[in-house]
Amino acid sequence: MTLVRRRPLVALLTTLVLTGLMAVLAVAQTGGASPGASQSPDDLRRQIGTIIVTPGNGPSLAVADFQPRTAGIDQQVATFNMVLWSDLQFAGVSNLIGKSLYPTTRLADPASLRYEEWSGDPVKADYLAFGGLTDGANGQGFLYDIKTQQAILTAQLSGSDREMAHQFADQIVKVLTGQDGIAQSRIAYIANREVQIMDYDGYGSRAFTRDNSINLFPSFAPDGKRLAYVSYRSGFPNVVIRGEDGLIIGATQFKATTTSPTIGPDGRIVFSSSKDGGGMDLYLANEDGSAARRLTNTRKAVNISPRWNPRTGQEIAFISDRGGNPRIYLIGADGTNERPFLTLGGQMDSPAWSPDGRFLAFTWDGGGGTFNIYLADIASGQVVKLTREGRNESPAWSPDSRHLVFQSNRTGRWEIWAMHIDGSEQRQLTRTGGRSPSWGR
Amino acid sequence: MPNKLFRTTSVSAIFLLVILISACAPPVAKIKVSRTEVKPGDPVTVSWETKNAKKIEVNGEAAEKIGAKTVTPKETTTYEVVARRGRKEARDKAAVTVTVVKPPMPTISLRAEPSAIDLGRNTTLRWEAANASTVTISGLGEVAASGQREVSPRVSTTYTATAIGEGGNATASTRVTVTEPPPPPAPEKPKPSPEPPIADQFRAQVRPVFFDYNKSDILPEGKEVLTRIATWLNLERNRTIVFRVEGYCDPRGTAEYNLGLGDRRSRAVKDFLISLGVDDSRIEVVSYGNEKAAGTEEGAASAPPSWAHDRRAELIYVRGGDRP
């Protein structure tokens, strides 16, 4: 069963070639990745270009302002329209047609839809979304295929103005691409030494922990139902795992430094710890943090920042300074096949594996004294630079593999930012500080 | 015999005439359909009848003089019979109009009653779909076209029902707000038991040990500091003191890696103290990475805030050392 009815569109999306890609820097081909890889640096840009739809490309979508069907809800309707537009712009699955080109007739119901107003110049829409709010908590949205003059989605919406907009945006993305949208997802991060959770667009932040200690590095399970983080509550940094309801599922209790937990698709946890002396090594533990088994053994080296390949659950990317500067390595979840992935100079950290398993995002200071977010193609080892302002660290992937969230100090303070994986649409999500984001569902 | 000849001739002539007349008679063709307006897939019987024809075609295909067949036209179709005899022909047409009826758009509604619950309580989801072949609800999977279900979400949840039919998709969402009980009051921190005087003596003895950027080697100055401290720790009366080495970093590296670097710094101090005879079991190590870094420039270790001061290990008294 699938919601996709527009196969040609899906094909179009996947064959699009990106033209407006924000200038990304291709970095020299590295050794260490796949042997014999000798593609041109443009290949990775082209790959990314098939994922993000940029202006001038892709199916064109018009989004008529929703109309109030009752008096006194103008404010909610205005918020709804703003949020829906922002959601669809950030979704990056269609070419949004600017509202200034739209006909001036108000459109709330299919009965008042005149196709010729939307199919011809200057709108030339392939698809049209519109609808109305019946009151402050209910609404109805429509998506029409202008060419075939057919409704492809009618959606009953309920909730707050923002929730209804997120619901409709996700449903449009689902119908157009067959993939789940991210407008209703959440992001965990650290502020005021506690784990906070906010909507994916930065609204509705609330404290998830009240540990009155130092909490670091929250990390959602791939299904978004659990969250692991580091807490100093025991006097030592230890890993704590909580359910989405906040209940504690488990915790490590080592008298050492234990950090950077990451939950695999099967629930197992990988973290870094110095619990057995010697150095920081990687450990694989049960979903409650118990029965930790050592994966690496490099005396005195720092092996840290492990991240599962969330698609396979079989491989882990991590950082090791066994060769001098901290760089990215890969290792099997059974402790075998340990090897360097990128052998570039400078310092790297926080490798983040995309949910589809294709890419690693990471932060890298190649020697200029500033960290930026980069994207590496696992298969070819090609690398592109995604950020340019300030310091940019701690990248984490959206569940749809099309967006990244990270921390940047470009405003003078660490804040949470998000962007498309081609580096476009960089958006500031927090305004009062934030670090170490993790994208849930 | 002229009479007989006449009879034979006239009979032949009449036969000939009949043959001639019948040979020259124009063909006749008629066709009709059982229904003129149908939906796609509906059967229609096409029947035809011809006279005086040698060659008959129905829509280009050879046919009997009289016949019928059942067809299921997908689009509006005209059926034509052509009856030919030599150069003469007759035609007749009958049209079947096929009207495509758009499958109706599915509809769906979804309500939660009540829409707000306290954590642990139930709410009832009620839904009703029409013109749908499949109905799914997020979190519940595939469900009947209409029905109700008790749910007890642990966090506020938006349920989305999706109806899929030949006419398209329809969705309806409803939000169940789960009110969490107020968080339990933060556990009261146990009142610190009054520190023994030995803790003050410990603090008077120890000094921080500083490190170079991105390094965890003990510098000559640090070795001097630690050697003095080890001598004091190894005094008989101090041998039960347990202490912690805390490792810190400046903020120039990344937070995740710095937690490891801080661990290695504190461990380097521990290893050096062990080499001077301090027992392993007395030393805990913990890293704070750059979580407490305060510097904005290199500066001097002696003048915090500075990066030079951020890169250090500190010794903290934990317990013991008090003679009974």
Side-chain angles (χ1 to χ4, degrees):
Chain A
M1 184 199 77
T2 170
L3 278 169
V4 188
R5 300 183 69 241
R6 307 259 81 84
R7 282 296 174 200
L9 175 61
V10 176
L12 179 63
L13 269 175
T14 51
T15 52
L16 270 174
V17 173
L18 180 72
T19 55
L21 176 60
M22 193 178 164
V24 289
L25 172 72
V27 177
Q29 171 69 31
T30 68
S34 79
S38 60
Q39 295 151 295
S40 82
D42 291 337
D43 288 343
L44 181 51
R45 270 184 247 168
R46 200 172 298 123
Q47 271 196 54
I48 302 172
T50 64
I51 297 169
I52 303 296
V53 174
T54 47
N57 279 307
S60 56
L61 172 65
V63 184
D65 276 337
F66 269 52
Q67 299 297 321
R69 290 180 183 156
T70 180
I73 58 166
D74 288 355
Q75 188 53 50
Q76 283 99 319
V77 172
T79 302
F80 178 96
N81 285 324
M82 184 192 75
V83 173
L84 178 62
W85 185 264
S86 169
D87 284 349
L88 291 170
Q89 199 164 44
F90 198 53
V93 300
S94 60
N95 179 25
L96 278 186
I97 304 165
K99 290 189 179 182
S100 60
L101 301 176
Y102 296 178
T104 50
T105 5
R106 284 161 187 264
L107 178 58
D109 297 287
S112 32
L113 170 57
R114 303 217 323 259
Y115 292 102
E116 64 278 8
E117 287 185 333
W118 301 93
S119 59
D121 275 325
V123 191
K124 289 206 263 189
D126 297 320
Y127 301 96
L128 170 65
F130 62 98
L133 298 191
T134 46
D135 54 49
N138 289 283
Q140 196 174 27
F142 304 94
L143 182 66
Y144 270 70
D145 184 328
I146 294 298
K147 282 186 185 137
T148 65
Q149 306 199 347
Q150 285 191 338
I152 52 177
L153 172 69
T154 67
Q156 301 294 335
L157 310 167
S158 82
S160 73
D161 41 23
R162 304 190 72 88
E163 286 166 354
M164 287 192 284
H166 292 329
Q167 287 164 17
F168 192 42
D170 275 353
Q171 288 162 13
I172 289 173
V173 169
K174 182 84 181 181
V175 168
L176 290 184
T177 68
Q179 295 178 332
D180 289 326
I182 53 163
Q184 297 177 89
S185 64
R186 302 157 299 155
I187 290 168
Y189 64 103
I190 297 293
N192 305 320
R193 296 186 163 179
E194 300 283 1
V195 179
Q196 319 281 334
I197 291 184
M198 63 184 174
D199 296 350
Y200 95 113
D201 57 3
Y203 282 81
S205 178
R206 58 270 186 195
F208 180 72
T209 61
R210 294 178 184 87
D211 289 355
N212 296 312
S213 176
I214 300 176
N215 288 350
L216 303 172
F217 312 134
S219 178
F220 272 112
D223 64 5
K225 297 199 182 301
R226 270 166 297 158
L227 186 91
Y229 62 99
V230 174
S231 171
Y232 279 73
R233 213 170 166 181
S234 62
F236 295 88
N238 268 300
V239 170
V240 178
I241 306 112
R242 287 179 189 261
E244 62 183 335
D245 49 16
L247 296 178
I248 290 183
I249 291 168
T252 61
Q253 290 168 337
F254 305 130
K255 289 194 165 186
T257 300
T258 303
T259 182
S260 298
T262 167
I263 307 176
D266 61 0
R268 288 186 298 170
I269 297 172
V270 166
F271 54 78
S272 171
S273 179
S274 59
K275 76 185 191 70
D276 294 327
M280 299 290 293
D281 277 305
L282 301 193
Y283 291 81
L284 178 63
N286 292 342
E287 58 185 35
D288 61 356
S290 65
R293 186 171 70 82
R294 190 159 162 172
L295 292 183
T296 60
N297 195 349
T298 42
R299 188 162 171 75
K300 302 220 171 177
V302 170
N303 298 291
I304 208 161
S305 310
R307 303 286 194 276
W308 284 101
N309 176 339
R311 192 178 67 80
T312 64
Q314 297 299 323
E315 248 190 329
I316 296 153
F318 67 102
I319 293 295
S320 180
D321 66 0
R322 64 188 68 174
N325 276 326
R327 290 176 191 157
I328 299 174
Y329 287 69
L330 303 178
I331 189 171
D334 56 0
T336 63
N337 203 14
E338 190 172 358
R339 61 201 189 276
F341 172 62
L342 288 175
T343 50
L344 308 170
Q347 304 176 39
M348 298 174 182
D349 201 1
S350 310
W353 219 311
S354 61
D356 62 13
R358 289 170 64 186
F359 304 113
L360 270 184
F362 58 100
T363 187
W364 179 34
D365 173 6
T370 292
F371 286 88
N372 272 299
I373 308 293
Y374 292 78
L375 190 73
D377 177 40
I378 301 281
S380 69
Q382 289 171 21
V383 172
V384 292
K385 183 178 185 177
L386 302 182
T387 58
R388 297 186 168 276
E389 287 179 73
R391 267 176 73 168
N392 302 278
E393 300 175 18
S394 297
W397 288 83
S398 63
D400 67 358
S401 286
R402 307 171 76 254
H403 302 81
L404 287 165
V405 65
F406 59 101
Q407 68 180 54
S408 177
N409 72 354
R410 67 186 69 174
T411 59
R413 175 166 61 185
W414 287 117
E415 302 279 7
I416 307 297
W417 289 67
M419 63 182 169
H420 289 163
I421 61 165
D422 63 358
S424 61
E425 282 285 331
Q426 300 202 8
R427 294 184 171 190
Q428 185 178 346
L429 303 184
T430 59
R431 304 277 159 188
T432 55
R435 295 169 56 200
S436 300
S438 174
W439 206 317
R441 284 186 177 269
Chain B
M1 302 290 287
N3 198 19
K4 190 181 179 185
L5 180 66
F6 173 76
R7 264 173 54 194
T8 312
T9 310
S10 38
V11 169
S12 303
I14 289 166
F15 268 104
L16 194 63
L17 196 64
V18 169
I19 291 166
L20 276 174
I21 287 169
S22 55
C24 296
V28 178
K30 276 189 179 173
I31 192 165
K32 62 180 180 180
V33 291
S34 59
R35 300 164 70 186
T36 55
E37 290 188 2
V38 296
K39 290 185 288 185
D42 285 350
V44 179
T45 306
V46 181
S47 51
W48 63 93
E49 203 178 331
T50 62
K51 282 180 189 166
N52 307 331
K54 290 240 161 147
K55 197 176 164 195
I56 297 106
E57 286 180 357
V58 173
N59 282 20
E61 288 178 17
E64 298 295 316
K65 290 182 179 174
I66 297 175
K69 65 177 177 181
T70 303
V71 294
T72 51
K74 287 180 184 149
E75 51 198 9
T76 298
T77 309
T78 300
Y79 296 91
E80 186 178 29
V81 60
V82 184
R84 289 197 182 85
R85 181 184 190 118
R87 289 188 184 171
K88 294 182 179 171
E89 66 171 41
R91 290 170 181 261
D92 192 23
K93 292 180 184 177
V96 179
T97 307
V98 178
T99 314
V100 178
V101 179
K102 273 190 204 171
M105 192 77 186
T107 60
I108 190 157
S109 65
L110 179 67
R111 284 276 175 278
E113 293 161 12
S115 62
I117 55 171
D118 287 334
L119 184 62
R121 300 284 177 170
N122 290 352
T123 180
T124 306
L125 293 179
R126 288 195 174 82
W127 66 93
E128 202 171 329
N131 305 321
S133 53
T134 312
V135 179
T136 54
I137 297 178
S138 54
L140 301 183
E142 194 165 330
V143 296
S146 297
Q148 61 181 59
R149 190 81 66 90
E150 295 274 311
V151 293
S152 180
R154 308 204 67 162
V155 291
S156 296
T157 303
T158 299
Y159 290 92
T160 298
T162 305
I164 301 170
E166 284 180 32
N169 305 321
T171 64
S173 300
T174 192
R175 176 107 176 141
V176 176
T177 309
V178 179
T179 312
E180 290 179 48
E188 280 181 30
K189 285 190 176 168
K191 283 177 191 167
S193 46
E195 285 191 325
I198 191 73
D200 283 334
Q201 292 178 34
F202 182 94
R203 275 192 288 273
Q205 287 293 327
V206 299
R207 297 278 181 281
V209 178
F210 298 102
F211 296 86
D212 282 342
Y213 172 65
N214 210 7
K215 298 284 186 207
S216 51
D217 309 303
I218 311 283
L219 299 168
E221 195 184 324
K223 286 181 179 173
E224 278 177 38
V225 169
L226 291 174
T227 305
R228 262 200 317 275
I229 295 172
T231 306
W232 185 81
L233 287 168
N234 284 334
L235 294 175
E236 183 62 34
R237 66 170 193 275
N238 294 333
R239 286 201 173 176
T240 57
I241 292 176
V242 173
F243 60 98
R244 185 166 69 234
V245 185
E246 297 182 343
Y248 297 91
C249 304
D250 75 31
R252 283 183 287 174
T254 52
E256 275 194 281
Y257 176 72
N258 272 340
L259 212 62
L261 180 60
D263 184 79
R264 187 160 59 199
R265 283 176 177 164
S266 56
R267 211 161 285 278
V269 169
K270 175 178 175 171
D271 288 347
F272 190 72
L273 290 172
I274 289 172
S275 75
L276 297 176
V278 182
D279 195 83
D280 186 357
S281 62
R282 301 170 62 190
I283 314 172
E284 298 175 352
V285 296
V286 64
S287 171
Y288 283 90
N290 61 16
E291 295 308 315
K292 296 188 176 181
T296 54
E297 55 183 359
E298 180 57 25
S302 56
S306 66
W307 288 340
H309 184 265
D310 287 339
R311 297 188 301 268
R312 70 189 187 281
E314 286 191 4
L315 276 61
I316 308 293
Y317 172 83
V318 175
R319 64 178 179 271
D322 235 3
R323 277 154 301 178

